[in-house]
Amino acid sequence: MVVINFISSKGVLKSVNAAEGETIMDCAKNNDIYEIEAECGGGCSCATCHVYIQDEWVDKLDAPTEMEEDMLDFAIDVKENSRLSCQIKIDKTLDGITIQTPEKQF
Amino acid sequence: MGNPIQTDALIIGAGPVGLFAVFELGLLNLNCHVIDILNKPGGQCAQLYPEKPIYDIPAYPVITGQDLTENLLKQVKPFSPVFHYEQLANKIRKQKNGNWLVETDKGLVFDVKAVVIAAGGGSFEPKKPNIPDLDKYSKSIRYSIDKVDRFKNKDIVILGGGDSALDWTLQLYDIAKSLTLVHRRDKFRGAPATVEKVMSLRDGGKIQFHVGQVNEIIGSDGNLTAVKCIKENKILDLPCDILMPFFGLTMSLGPVDKWGIDLSDERIVVSTETFETSIPGIFAVGDINTYPGKLKLILSGFHEAALMAHAVFKRINPDEKHTLQYTTTSSSLQKKLLNQ
């Protein structure tokens, strides 16, 4: 099991157990992280699973693909550390990662 | 209210499941009109992922959303459904004879024996940027263009980097007083030829382009005068009469929410036998419904459409003896399907 820490836009921390192989989006949906919408269900087609990765973790992730960058154009309040959570697969190197969810997905 | 359009069933949503509902109802001699909020058929398949492959349509190892839509349109052609695009089903009223009157936001009225909600994730609406007081200036903020004249000699700021942002830039730059495009990066997602044209406008000084983000708007009495744009930690003041954000579309249940149908977690509760909602004569198929074990898959929606169609038939023809016919063997069905 891998621990994922979600911090809501209001600053509330929720730490959950995730399985390796699932995406951060799956993990968020399974654990009622309500600020993740994921309208398209994980197809990198809607930009409503947008998250901010805590700075020290940004470089530990594979860089976003061009498809993800394109889709991030449709997210709201995109920052340097923005990612689409459906494109991040969980493995044990992400144990303890901290992810902030945005106030708005649309 | 204008003169109502009379038909057997009104289908709300022209996505794959709405289209297949036309087919299943058509096999039972029931005629359909179809409305959709988008300007084309296909629903999410057309809007969200036209070029992305789908791998779980039975008998298609792989098919794109666009091709699936086109095939379904071919499949329903023998039944001559009538499509009405860019309309939202707004109001619904039961009549004394048991029919439903449905009125769209564009003023079309349908008088139908059954209403079939196949609206997927709901109706599409533009995503709004997260800018304080955005709603106060709603008359200065446009998500689409109705009358081009409205944009003449105005200072226009367009946000985004996809096809919509680029297309409207090309459409409006020469009638606007000024046009500024603001995007979070200097790469664009649009068609290469479009991107090239926009870049040459920028290089020729016909438009302004900033890599940045608008986070504040300024104006008075509901009219915008300027926006503030953060660009590399500096704040730029951009003159702005009309702000046009293009961050794609999102889905919401929309007016269906107010029709009094039983919902669970923003989905419409249906019987798995008939796909009828809590209100007799109103049916729901595809992603918009929910029931124990529901899987949000196109193939589930197809199954639901078949059962719904038979239930609609029984509702409309309670006394008629009804047997299931097969398209492989029924000569009357084959006549219908080939006689196009």
Side-chain angles (χ1 to χ4, degrees):
Chain A
M1 280 295 188
V2 176
V3 173
I4 310 282
N5 303 302
F6 290 98
I7 299 179
S8 78
S9 64
K10 307 253 180 334
V12 179
L13 170 73
K14 187 170 180 183
S15 298
V16 302
N17 286 320
E20 286 182 52
E22 67 178 5
T23 65
I24 300 272
M25 180 213 81
D26 296 325
C27 169
K29 295 306 279 184
N30 292 340
N31 290 284
D32 297 326
I33 303 295
Y34 69 96
E35 282 176 329
I36 301 287
E37 290 285 336
E39 272 179 3
C40 82
C44 199
S45 298
C46 73
T48 61
C49 67
H50 172 213
V51 295
Y52 304 116
I53 307 295
Q54 204 176 55
D55 289 342
E56 62 262 39
W57 287 92
V58 170
D59 292 336
K60 293 183 185 165
L61 300 175
D62 290 336
T65 61
E66 202 176 322
M67 179 174 76
E68 184 182 342
E69 283 288 359
D70 282 351
M71 213 55 234
L72 272 169
D73 286 351
F74 293 109
I76 303 293
D77 286 340
V78 177
K79 300 178 189 167
E80 292 273 308
N81 58 344
S82 284
R83 293 295 301 263
L84 295 181
S85 58
C86 72
Q87 298 300 302
I88 305 171
K89 268 232 167 88
I90 295 171
D91 62 31
K92 49 182 176 299
T93 66
L94 299 191
D95 192 20
I97 190 172
T98 300
I99 287 165
Q100 190 145 23
T101 50
E103 184 190 345
K104 268 169 65 91
Q105 293 284 0
F106 48 77
Chain B
M1 268 195 190
N3 272 344
I5 297 169
Q6 293 188 331
T7 187
D8 293 318
L10 176 69
I11 298 178
I12 300 170
V17 175
L19 293 175
F20 197 66
V22 172
F23 180 83
E24 287 293 332
L25 289 161
L27 286 182
L28 300 171
N29 284 328
L30 299 171
N31 294 318
C32 303
H33 281 237
V34 185
I35 59 173
D36 200 287
I37 187 79
L38 298 175
N39 61 2
K40 54 180 181 286
Q44 292 184 50
C45 279
Q47 191 62 41
L48 289 182
Y49 47 86
E51 281 116 41
K52 285 192 183 170
I54 310 169
Y55 297 98
D56 61 351
I57 305 296
Y60 284 95
V62 57
I63 187 167
T64 63
Q66 187 63 42
D67 288 345
L68 181 73
T69 305
E70 280 168 21
N71 283 356
L72 283 162
L73 286 172
K74 259 186 234 162
Q75 198 166 16
V76 301
K77 204 170 167 232
F79 305 111
S80 312
V82 185
F83 293 94
H84 308 271
Y85 295 112
E86 297 182 296
Q87 329 242 345
L88 187 73
N90 206 5
K91 290 182 202 146
I92 188 161
R93 203 174 71 220
K94 192 163 191 170
Q95 294 181 283
K96 282 198 186 104
N97 64 1
N99 281 11
W100 291 97
L101 270 188
V102 182
E103 188 179 356
T104 72
D105 59 340
K106 297 275 166 72
L108 278 187
V109 183
F110 297 88
D111 176 349
V112 294
K113 294 168 185 153
V115 176
V116 180
I117 305 170
S123 58
F124 283 93
E125 52 187 57
K127 282 188 202 168
K128 293 180 176 174
N130 195 16
I131 302 173
D133 293 336
L134 197 68
D135 291 338
K136 268 195 208 162
Y137 296 99
S138 53
K139 61 182 169 180
S140 296
I141 296 167
R142 301 267 142 210
Y143 297 94
S144 62
I145 293 172
D146 42 4
K147 294 191 184 95
V148 173
D149 272 1
R150 199 194 284 273
F151 297 84
K152 248 184 196 159
N153 297 321
K154 301 284 187 190
D155 290 314
I156 300 172
V157 175
I158 292 182
L159 310 181
D163 283 310
S164 300
L166 300 177
D167 288 346
W168 291 121
T169 299
L170 294 178
Q171 173 101 2
L172 295 174
Y173 79 94
D174 59 347
I175 62 163
K177 186 170 156 202
S178 73
L179 192 147
T180 310
L181 181 61
V182 178
H183 183 42
R184 71 176 184 97
R185 54 182 183 146
D186 60 4
K187 274 197 190 144
F188 296 91
R189 188 175 182 258
T194 312
V195 174
E196 207 171 288
K197 276 187 209 154
V198 170
M199 290 301 94
S200 74
L201 291 180
R202 177 196 64 179
D203 297 342
K206 305 269 194 206
I207 63 165
Q208 301 291 310
F209 170 65
H210 297 296
V211 173
Q213 191 163 8
V214 166
N215 67 339
E216 202 182 324
I217 53 182
I218 300 155
S220 60
D221 297 332
N223 293 308
L224 276 184
T225 54
V227 298
K228 285 184 187 291
C229 166
I230 302 185
K231 182 182 186 178
E232 292 166 1
N233 300 324
K234 286 190 208 114
I235 296 173
L236 301 175
D237 278 316
L238 306 173
C240 179
D241 300 313
I242 300 175
L243 180 68
M244 306 189 73
F246 291 112
F247 295 108
L249 301 170
T250 179
M251 289 172 280
S252 78
L253 198 48
V256 170
D257 202 8
K258 299 184 187 72
W259 290 1
I261 303 172
D262 283 356
L263 302 177
S264 168
D265 206 11
E266 298 225 2
R267 302 280 151 209
I268 298 173
V269 177
V270 288
S271 142
T272 50
E273 211 173 310
T274 58
F275 292 90
E276 198 162 34
T277 67
S278 60
I279 299 182
I282 303 181
F283 297 76
V285 288
D287 283 1
I288 199 137
N289 73 17
T290 186
Y291 50 84
K294 168 76 181 181
L295 292 177
K296 276 211 261 172
L297 294 174
I298 293 172
L299 71 92
S300 308
F302 289 167
H303 156 83
E304 295 163 16
L307 269 70
M308 171 280 295
H310 286 262
V312 168
F313 182 89
K314 276 181 208 152
R315 179 183 161 78
I316 296 178
N317 309 288
D319 302 323
E320 203 164 311
K321 194 162 172 282
H322 173 57
T323 49
L324 180 64
Q325 296 188 334
Y326 294 96
T327 56
T328 42
T329 51
S330 158
S331 58
S332 71
L333 287 186
Q334 286 168 359
K335 207 171 150 205
K336 247 180 269 174
L337 290 164
L338 297 171
N339 232 358
Q340 48 177 301

